Amino acid sequence: MNSPLRPGKGGLLLSLRVTPKSSRDEVSGLHVTSDGTVSLAVKVTAVPDNGRANKAVIETLAKACRMPKSAFELVSGETERNKTILVTGNPAELEAWIARKVNAGKEN
């Protein structure tokens, strides 16, 4: 299985599949499309209005990965369900965390 991470200018690019208006904020696993593209599935309670859901996505990722919110920057998909986040700083913890998610997906 592929990873939702790829090298980017100044850090790593993280592909996301976001579900707003969910019952809770969580990273729910991996989302795989029919063409094999892998994204990290993120659910947030916020509504997609005036950037509220985007802000909640970054807060949820930061909490789940134990990284500062400032390490995450939305680079594409501001009004879409599919988003790309640039992760800066030292993303080693994120890489390890994503690897665990990918490996967990292989076991299912």
Side-chain angles (χ1 to χ4, degrees):
M1 182 178 289
N2 296 326
S3 171
L5 283 172
R6 64 187 188 279
K9 191 171 188 171
L12 292 173
L13 295 172
L14 175 61
S15 298
L16 302 177
R17 174 72 175 181
V18 175
T19 303
K21 298 189 289 185
S22 183
S23 61
R24 61 182 160 176
D25 295 337
E26 68 178 343
V27 177
S28 58
L30 297 175
H31 174 80
V32 183
T33 63
S34 59
D35 68 357
T37 304
V38 178
S39 300
L40 191 63
V42 180
K43 296 179 179 182
V44 294
T45 57
V47 296
D49 183 43
N50 293 326
R52 289 184 190 137
N54 292 335
K55 183 179 177 186
V57 165
I58 289 175
E59 290 172 354
T60 301
L61 284 172
K63 183 177 178 182
C65 301
R66 296 183 182 118
M67 294 177 65
K69 290 184 282 187
S70 60
F72 299 90
E73 177 187 348
L74 179 66
V75 293
S76 71
E78 186 173 327
T79 59
E80 308 289 326
R81 291 174 63 98
N82 296 314
K83 301 182 184 300
T84 302
I85 300 280
L86 176 66
V87 184
T88 57
N90 182 2
E93 179 67 26
L94 176 65
E95 288 178 311
W97 187 77
I98 293 290
R100 289 191 297 273
K101 288 282 185 189
V102 168
N103 289 334
K106 287 179 181 177
E107 294 170 2
N108 294 334

